[in-house]
Amino acid sequence: MGAAMNTHRTERTDTRRPDETDQLDLDRFRREHWRRRPVVLRGCGPRFLAPALTWSDVTALEARLDADTSAAGVHRRPDGTVLFVNQAQHTMPQLAAACEKLAGLFGWDECTADLSVTRGGGAGIGCHFDHSDNFVVQQQGSKSWRVGLPEHTSRDRQRRRMLETKGFVPSGRLPQRPWEVLLHPGDVLYLPLFAPHEGAEDPDGAGEGSVSVSFSYNARSALGVHLKPLLRALAAQDAWWEPLPLDGADPERLEAALVRALRTITRPAPEAPERHTEPAGQGDA
């Protein structure tokens, strides 16, 4: 997979289906789809993960998980119809390698991989939305998806998801007429963050089950990135650590110190260039 991937054909379908293409043009993807609207990349799965995961790979993973009762992020239904492994790159080396490759391709500072396995027509994990951008890569079987747009999730629910509000359940709320798409092995579905979506094993399929991997980039907020550094920077400002006078703090002094502290973390001073000196006796005469 590399930057030479160019889209030579993009098909626009009806209003109940996302855009489809059989190639990945990175520039066009960033311009038209990134955090805007879903797109289906038909047959592009090997560009994300090759070789594809097999049922033997899944069986071997399940045996390892059975032996490791401390495995975190593993969710199974008692009837065996659903297995979901969060951050499966820590348990499957081939997914770790794919994550590293995709992070470099898309310019992410990290990439994670979630594994979803279903056995039984119609099995799935329910409608929800994420605070990550996801590429769902179908590996085995087929999977039916219903998808909305980021704007179908209210701003308040987006905010609570980004802040990881305690007790908040990110259940999805699909529009009255969601987009519908069926993924076959080798297909990829891009889901923008906040877009509600629901995937289930194709009830009309052969019944052999479904295996898919979601490669994700978790979104960052300015609050999450800068809050702790800002608190440290404020601790170095006199106005913020000195004892307060009885009549209260001077708001203008506090605000000025806050701006100075904020600038130290959002606009760090450039590093001074290294100074090279010539050894004694080797300069010009």
Side-chain angles (χ1 to χ4, degrees), residues 38-158:
V39 62
V40 179
L41 308 173
R42 294 293 183 187
C44 292
R47 298 181 182 271
F48 288 75
L49 176 62
L53 296 182
T54 65
W55 280 108
S56 294
D57 295 324
V58 173
T59 301
L61 172 65
E62 289 177 317
R64 293 199 303 273
L65 294 176
D66 288 337
D68 182 9
T69 58
S70 65
V74 178
H75 307 277
R76 304 192 205 195
R77 285 191 180 166
D79 60 5
T81 58
V82 176
L83 167 66
F84 184 81
V85 183
N86 184 256
Q87 303 223 7
Q89 75 274 10
H90 297 309
T91 58
M92 305 187 76
Q94 59 268 58
L95 296 186
C99 284
E100 183 177 356
K101 179 176 63 175
L102 292 173
L105 175 69
F106 290 105
W108 302 339
D109 58 354
E110 72 165 358
C111 176
T112 62
D114 296 338
L115 174 68
S116 177
V117 180
T118 60
R119 295 179 173 94
I125 61 174
C127 185
H128 63 284
F129 72 97
D130 300 311
H131 61 340
S132 59
D133 291 273
N134 306 313
F135 288 91
V136 181
V137 187
Q138 191 67 25
Q139 302 291 284
Q140 301 294 330
S142 57
K143 200 166 190 177
S144 176
W145 288 88
R146 298 195 304 155
V147 184
L149 297 173
E151 53 262 38
H152 292 140
T153 299
S154 70
R155 291 284 290 177
D156 180 63
R157 291 180 66 77
Q158 292 180 16

Side-chain angles (χ1 to χ4, degrees), residues 5-23:
M5 294 180 288
N6 295 310
T7 300
H8 60 78
R9 175 176 62 84
T10 298
E11 298 176 353
R12 292 300 296 270
T13 57
D14 62 40
T15 57
R16 298 190 67 188
R17 294 177 62 85
D19 295 340
E20 294 194 19
T21 178
D22 59 4
Q23 296 289 322

Side-chain angles (χ1 to χ4, degrees), residues 25-277:
D25 181 323
L26 292 178
D27 290 336
R28 186 168 189 171
F29 168 76
R30 293 187 180 104
R31 183 175 63 252
E32 297 184 2
H33 296 98
W34 175 252
R35 295 186 173 171
R36 291 182 179 85
R37 54 191 287 122
V39 62
V40 179
L41 308 173
R42 294 293 183 187
C44 292
R47 298 181 182 271
F48 288 75
L49 176 62
L53 296 182
T54 65
W55 280 108
S56 294
D57 295 324
V58 173
T59 301
L61 172 65
E62 289 177 317
R64 293 199 303 273
L65 294 176
D66 288 337
D68 182 9
T69 58
S70 65
V74 178
H75 307 277
R76 304 192 205 195
R77 285 191 180 166
D79 60 5
T81 58
V82 176
L83 167 66
F84 184 81
V85 183
N86 184 256
Q87 303 223 7
Q89 75 274 10
H90 297 309
T91 58
M92 305 187 76
Q94 59 268 58
L95 296 186
C99 284
E100 183 177 356
K101 179 176 63 175
L102 292 173
L105 175 69
F106 290 105
W108 302 339
D109 58 354
E110 72 165 358
C111 176
T112 62
D114 296 338
L115 174 68
S116 177
V117 180
T118 60
R119 295 179 173 94
I125 61 174
C127 185
H128 63 284
F129 72 97
D130 300 311
H131 61 340
S132 59
D133 291 273
N134 306 313
F135 288 91
V136 181
V137 187
Q138 191 67 25
Q139 302 291 284
Q140 301 294 330
S142 57
K143 200 166 190 177
S144 176
W145 288 88
R146 298 195 304 155
V147 184
L149 297 173
E151 53 262 38
H152 292 140
T153 299
S154 70
R155 291 284 290 177
D156 180 63
R157 291 180 66 77
Q158 292 180 16
R159 178 186 64 83
R160 294 170 70 186
R161 187 73 173 99
M162 286 297 296
L163 295 177
E164 297 184 342
T165 303
K166 185 177 181 180
F168 176 69
V169 178
S171 56
R173 300 174 183 175
L174 289 166
Q176 185 174 3
R177 288 173 58 85
W179 279 337
E180 300 176 352
V181 64
L182 182 63
L183 295 187
H184 300 288
D187 291 340
V188 180
L189 171 62
Y190 166 67
L191 296 167
L193 83 168
F194 302 143
H197 55 273
E198 180 177 28
E201 185 179 329
D202 181 17
D204 299 323
E208 74 274 24
S210 167
V211 180
S212 61
V213 178
S214 294
F215 293 101
S216 306
Y217 174 72
N218 292 318
R220 275 74 165 147
S221 69
L223 191 62
V225 170
H226 294 308
L227 181 58
K228 289 184 178 179
L230 177 59
L231 292 176
R232 291 193 295 268
L234 285 174
Q237 296 287 326
D238 292 348
W240 283 84
W241 69 258
E242 290 178 341
L244 291 174
L246 292 178
D247 57 353
D250 178 352
E252 293 185 0
R253 185 167 179 253
L254 286 179
E255 291 171 6
L258 175 60
V259 170
R260 287 195 300 271
L262 185 59
R263 283 177 176 170
T264 64
I265 61 173
T266 60
R267 304 180 187 180
E271 294 183 5
E274 294 184 7
R275 299 180 63 182
H276 299 279
T277 58

